[in-house]
Amino acid sequence: MNKKATPTTRPFSGNLDAASHTRGQSLYLDDIPEYAGTLYARAFSSPVAHGRIRSLDCEAAARAEGVVRIFTWRDIPGENQVGNIVPDEPLLAEEEAHYIGQPIALAVAETAEAAEAAARQIRADIEELPAVTDAREAFRRGQLLAGSRRFEMGDVEAAFAQCKYIFEGTAHTGGQEHVYLEPQGAYALPREGKVFIHSSTQGPTQVQRAAARVLGVPMNQVEVDVTRIGGGFGGKEDQASPWAAMVALAAYILKKPVKYILSRHEDLLMTGKRHPYDSDYRIGLDEGLNILAYEATFYQNGGAAADLSPAVLERTLFHATNSYYVPNARLTAHCCRTNIAPSTAFRGFGGPQGMFVIEAAIHHAARSLKVDAADIQQKNLLEDGHVFPYGQVVRDSEARRCWMENIKRNDIAALRDEVRQYNASHQFSKKGLHLMPVCFGISFTNTMMNHARALVHVYSDGSVGISTGAVEMGQGANTKMVQVAAREFGLRLEQVRIETTNTTRVANTSPSAASATSDLNGKALQDACGQVRERLFGLVREALGLSREDTIGLRDNTVRVNGEEQDMSWQQLIQLAFSRRINLSAKGHYATPEIHFDKTTEKGHPFAYHVYGTAALLCTVDCLRGIYSFDAAHIVHDFGSSMNEGVDLGQVEGGLAQGMGWMTMEDLQHSPEGRLLSRTLSNYKIPDLYSVPAEVTVHFLGSEGSERAIYKSKTTGEPPLMYGIGAYFALYGAILAFNPEAPRLYHAPMTPERVLGLLYGEKMRGNAG
């Protein structure tokens, strides 16, 4: 048999969309030319967090100028339901409202202004009911969105009995707003026998499924198309569905195109955020600082509907021990129902919340024992042969290598000396340094979602068109898919065109999420290209009279035999194949092998591979004002064999900034009545150029990579965000340098207000003691 073509095209570094982005030529949802007669929608939402809807008065709104129709749940021809994992989320509220911002009615008008004015004229008589916004309180009341889960390994209580040191406490991590550049939105067009939806979504198939459910039609009567989206970070994985279903409903009934793009204020008010968590921990160590036992209980604030909370909760448990071997662990998680907007996916998908708690426990232990947290961290790093609490055996661990490489490359010992000298000579300015290791599993934890398909056409002139299930949202997915096709056929990147992500061309897709997009879709595309290539190789073998032992390849637009260039170009080969009526199209499929997980035993092998890394973060705190800056972040990251260093580097830098924002400044708050207090970008701060470290260095570890990754190029989407957790503990180090008796507080984010309280011993809200 012929050997597969060896990748020969020189690696490209960068994003193919960069030029069109810079020129303002890239098309997003609101750039799509509108059809004549397009109508515009606007939702009327609940003004209270919990209440019984007594009546809804839409008469004045319906009579307003330019208004075409007001829709309520009674107008839905199918099922009033957009819940994915759990069917508990109506598209439009019926008898009760469960959070401020929950859609109750939809105004459709001839202009966006008229739709907005109509929505303001709708009146609802709502009997207010008690609201719950705290996860622990919801748990006490028995308000759960899904069943609780527990991962357990070893004999936890016997191990604690053997520990010399035991520490316990609580931790809190707040929510986080996605603040994608492009708000949620969709544009629906009635077509013969179907509804066509342009959607700003990470999950076209989920939008298709939800819209079909609401309309009461089969999925083949709904087509969803995505050119690209202006950022997602998980916020458009499940929560793009309601807005698409709304415009689909209106377009289906009115037989007119209908468009709805949320304003920034609407998006902040009505959409879900990263899950806030309250957690309890207990950690036990022996005299040599080995972690013998660890117990954690997580109270997840899932909001008013399940959304993706059960899956997020599961990934929290999967990552609750981070990069450490814990032979005896008991990890419990509760999915709590509260009266805030349904919490949803966000980069890291529950993993960061779990990691923060064990880092807090280690910090607690280190402070009490008067040792550096790094001593405990380094002592317990994962090695091959160790077992995760969920049963998967560690293979190809790069945890210790990343750690040691960072210490050596960045001379951490010298940095620590500099910090000590600085702190000794500055009374009201202190520095802190912290190392943050990361171990992140790659795959959808729901095994059935780990599959993808791709379509490839080689046209008769030699140009190539590809379609995959990957959604481009700024992460470079399109660029990597083009690279795959070019590499498989030995072409230049400009000879390959990637089409929009479309549910008719590529059906039953998993969302672009879980850091699995490039691997799943890239390998499906590799399979499709391979099918076409093997047909071409058969033709080459016949045309050139080659034996079965001869090796055929494609490189630089020419055919190679045994590495030697032949007098046959790519274009000549394709023309010959076309004349011989050879199929130049293929549909590829890929399903991740080996992975499995049994939820009855909470054991299995859920991940294709793990990504490792270590970050060292250095900060300076102004001890008079509580403000701070970050001097440096030095990262050693396990990229595997990167297929695009420019894109991968950008992912690491962006993930770091987003993680630092979550840990330091993004203080998402709700009032006890369920009102979002940080509902504008004037009082909800996100990182800017001045918030990131003055110096960021990223070292490519140079590991071999994993066969489960496309070309052994490990994914970079989510793991870098967790480096930001180190920012919290770097700040804590600087605080303790100023006030060694500062309260013990593991309550993120570490805002300047919180810093100031710790500097001067104030008992602030959270775990102080």
Side-chain angles (χ1 to χ4, degrees):
M1 295 180 62
N2 297 325
K3 297 180 180 178
K4 288 188 176 181
T6 302
T8 54
T9 305
R10 183 177 180 180
F12 172 76
S13 181
N15 192 318
L16 292 175
D17 285 340
S20 61
H21 287 350
T22 304
R23 297 181 182 127
Q25 296 171 334
S26 298
L27 294 180
Y28 294 88
L29 178 63
D30 206 23
D31 299 314
I32 297 171
E34 294 179 1
Y35 286 76
T38 292
L39 303 176
Y40 304 86
R42 187 70 66 180
F44 166 74
S45 64
S46 173
V48 301
H50 190 201
R52 187 173 294 109
I53 303 173
R54 291 168 170 158
S55 64
L56 190 63
D57 182 0
C58 302
E59 290 187 11
R63 292 194 304 268
E65 183 178 356
V67 174
V68 177
R69 184 161 175 174
I70 307 296
F71 290 88
T72 70
W73 67 271
R74 299 180 188 277
D75 298 304
I76 293 174
E79 188 177 352
N80 182 26
Q81 186 56 246
V82 290
N84 185 2
I85 297 176
V86 179
D88 66 348
E89 187 174 358
L91 177 67
L92 298 172
E94 298 184 17
E95 297 177 353
E96 285 193 5
H98 295 283
Y99 64 94
I100 293 174
Q102 180 176 5
I104 297 176
L106 185 73
V108 178
E110 294 171 353
T111 67
E113 293 77 13
E116 183 177 359
R120 287 200 300 265
Q121 293 183 62
I122 297 173
R123 297 289 179 265
D125 179 9
I126 302 177
E127 176 191 351
E128 282 202 61
L129 299 173
V132 176
T133 60
D134 180 77
R136 290 183 188 269
E137 176 62 22
F139 180 76
R140 284 191 289 269
R141 295 185 181 203
Q143 296 181 189
L144 298 179
L145 292 164
S148 299
R149 302 279 297 275
R150 173 173 287 179
F151 288 5
E152 194 159 5
M153 182 171 71
D155 189 332
V156 177
E157 293 307 322
F160 271 117
Q162 298 299 315
C163 292
K164 184 175 179 61
Y165 310 110
I166 298 176
F167 306 95
E168 56 185 286
T170 64
H172 172 86
T173 51
Q176 186 177 22
E177 172 60 52
H178 299 86
V179 200
Y180 23 67
L181 289 175
E182 178 191 38
Q184 299 272 10
Y187 184 24
L189 312 168
R191 291 187 176 174
E192 185 177 355
K194 69 163 55 177
V195 175
F196 186 96
I197 305 173
H198 294 285
S199 176
S200 181
T201 179
Q202 294 173 237
T205 294
Q206 172 55 21
V207 165
Q208 180 190 31
R209 185 181 296 116
R213 187 178 192 177
V214 167
L215 299 182
V217 301
M219 287 174 66
N220 66 2
Q221 292 183 27
V222 177
E223 182 176 354
V224 179
D225 191 86
V226 183
T227 301
R228 63 171 59 80
I229 66 176
F233 309 118
K236 297 176 182 177
E237 181 177 343
D238 215 52
Q239 296 216 349
S241 299
W243 320 108
M246 286 180 198
V247 294
L249 169 67
Y252 182 77
I253 291 177
L254 298 174
K255 309 302 179 188
K256 291 269 193 175
V258 180
K259 184 176 183 179
Y260 187 7
I261 296 179
L262 275 67
S263 68
R264 180 64 65 185
H265 175 74
E266 283 182 298
D267 199 296
L268 290 169
L269 176 69
M270 301 169 75
T271 66
K273 330 295 181 192
R274 183 188 293 281
H275 292 76
Y277 273 61
D278 281 289
S279 307
D280 301 323
Y281 63 81
R282 181 166 62 131
I283 191 169
L285 301 89
D286 65 14
E287 196 164 10
L289 302 183
N290 295 292
I291 300 174
L292 298 185
Y294 178 63
E295 180 176 22
T297 302
F298 303 97
Y299 300 91
Q300 179 201 62
N301 191 332
D307 195 90
L308 293 170
S309 293
V312 171
L313 188 86
E314 183 178 60
R315 192 170 278 268
T316 297
L317 294 173
F318 281 126
H319 292 85
T321 54
N322 192 11
S323 296
Y324 312 112
Y325 176 55
V326 181
N328 303 281
R330 182 188 297 132
L331 311 166
T332 307
H334 307 294
C335 189
C336 305
R337 176 169 55 85
T338 64
N339 296 112
I340 65 174
S343 301
T344 193
F346 200 125
R347 198 176 195 171
F349 204 79
Q353 292 96 318
M355 290 185 189
F356 178 84
V357 178
I358 194 167
E359 296 300 328
I362 289 172
H363 187 272
H364 182 171
R367 182 181 175 187
S368 300
L369 297 173
K370 294 182 170 52
V371 299
D372 196 299
D375 295 339
I376 300 175
Q377 292 171 302
Q378 182 173 325
K379 184 79 172 178
N380 292 279
L381 291 171
L382 288 166
E383 304 276 7
D384 284 1
H386 284 159
V387 181
F388 291 102
Y390 48 88
Q392 183 164 343
V393 178
V394 178
R395 300 179 189 166
D396 305 316
S397 173
E398 300 290 355
R400 191 166 299 278
R401 187 175 165 211
C402 286
W403 179 278
M404 299 309 296
E405 183 71 16
N406 200 316
I407 287 175
K408 177 182 176 182
R409 175 172 291 274
N410 298 301
D411 199 352
I412 299 300
L415 266 181
R416 291 193 190 284
D417 286 340
E418 289 178 21
V419 169
R420 280 191 287 267
Q421 291 172 18
Y422 181 93
N423 290 344
S425 59
H426 292 76
Q427 182 179 0
F428 292 108
S429 178
K430 302 293 181 182
K431 289 186 180 291
L433 176 68
H434 191 82
L435 270 68
M436 178 64 198
V438 167
C439 169
F440 195 81
I442 305 302
S443 283
F444 288 99
T445 54
N446 184 356
T447 302
M448 66 170 283
M449 296 176 69
N450 291 282
H451 61 91
R453 276 144 306 286
L455 175 66
V456 62
H457 296 309
V458 178
Y459 294 96
S460 59
D461 66 351
S463 61
V464 176
I466 60 173
S467 295
T468 77
V471 171
E472 174 59 47
M473 49 186 161
Q475 85 283 38
N478 279 359
T479 296
K480 287 191 173 182
M481 295 304 100
V482 170
Q483 284 184 269
V484 170
R487 186 165 173 169
E488 294 298 312
F489 290 137
L491 305 177
R492 299 185 304 276
L493 298 180
E494 58 266 27
Q495 292 175 265
V496 180
R497 172 180 171 78
I498 188 165
E499 301 295 340
T500 59
T501 309
N502 181 281
T503 56
T504 297
R505 283 193 297 271
V506 180
N508 303 320
T509 60
S510 292
S512 290
S515 298
T517 303
S518 294
D519 290 342
L520 294 177
N521 292 280
K523 283 185 173 285
L525 180 57
Q526 191 178 31
D527 176 55
C529 293
Q531 294 175 41
V532 174
R533 193 182 57 233
E534 289 305 309
R535 297 170 199 152
L536 295 174
F537 283 3
L539 177 61
V540 170
R541 197 172 301 282
E542 175 188 331
L544 299 183
L546 303 178
S547 70
R548 295 179 63 85
E549 287 71 34
D550 290 315
T551 301
I552 304 170
L554 297 169
R555 179 178 176 182
D556 298 334
N557 276 274
T558 61
V559 175
R560 308 285 174 120
V561 176
N562 299 324
E564 297 294 324
E565 185 175 334
Q566 304 297 300
D567 188 20
M568 180 183 286
S569 68
W570 167 258
Q571 285 77 11
Q572 289 171 330
L573 173 60
I574 297 306
Q575 288 168 7
L576 178 61
F578 185 67
S579 71
R580 298 285 185 88
R581 299 182 297 175
I582 289 174
N583 184 2
L584 294 174
S585 297
K587 192 69 171 286
H589 175 80
Y590 178 75
T592 310
E594 189 179 10
I595 58 173
H596 60 90
F597 192 74
D598 184 346
K599 292 185 180 181
T600 61
T601 62
E602 303 289 22
K603 291 289 186 288
H605 186 106
F607 297 115
Y609 61 89
H610 289 80
V611 173
Y612 298 88
T614 296
L617 288 100
L618 179 67
C619 70
T620 303
V621 172
D622 179 333
C623 300
L624 290 176
R625 295 181 290 174
I627 61 175
Y628 47 78
S629 60
F630 284 88
D631 308 307
H634 300 300
I635 297 170
V636 174
H637 188 80
D638 169 28
F639 292 91
S641 179
S642 174
M643 64 181 289
N644 189 318
E645 292 188 359
V647 164
D648 290 344
L649 179 61
Q651 287 289 84
V652 171
E653 293 173 340
L656 169 70
Q658 199 166 47
M660 291 179 66
W662 176 52
M663 282 284 105
T664 62
M665 65 176 63
E666 298 189 47
D667 197 9
L668 193 74
Q669 296 184 18
H670 290 84
S671 72
E673 298 76 32
R675 190 167 302 279
L676 179 65
L677 299 177
S678 47
R679 60 182 183 271
T680 71
L681 294 183
S682 63
N683 60 11
Y684 181 81
K685 303 300 183 183
I686 61 174
D688 59 15
L689 183 62
Y690 301 101
S691 307
V692 298
E695 179 187 10
V696 177
T697 65
V698 180
H699 174 66
F700 286 62
L701 181 66
S703 59
E704 183 179 348
S706 169
E707 290 287 352
R708 302 286 183 253
I710 182 69
Y711 301 131
K712 296 188 176 182
S713 178
K714 287 190 173 184
T715 186
T716 51
E718 292 173 287
L721 182 134
M722 275 66 85
Y723 294 138
I725 295 173
Y728 184 96
F729 296 100
L731 290 170
Y732 217 136
I735 292 166
L736 291 172
F738 179 81
N739 177 13
E741 303 303 318
R744 191 177 71 251
L745 179 76
Y746 301 120
H747 188 112
M750 184 71 88
T751 60
E753 295 87 349
R754 224 163 248 132
V755 169
L756 199 60
L758 290 173
L759 286 169
Y760 294 94
E762 179 181 344
K763 303 278 187 180
M764 300 195 68
R765 182 175 180 267
N767 175 35

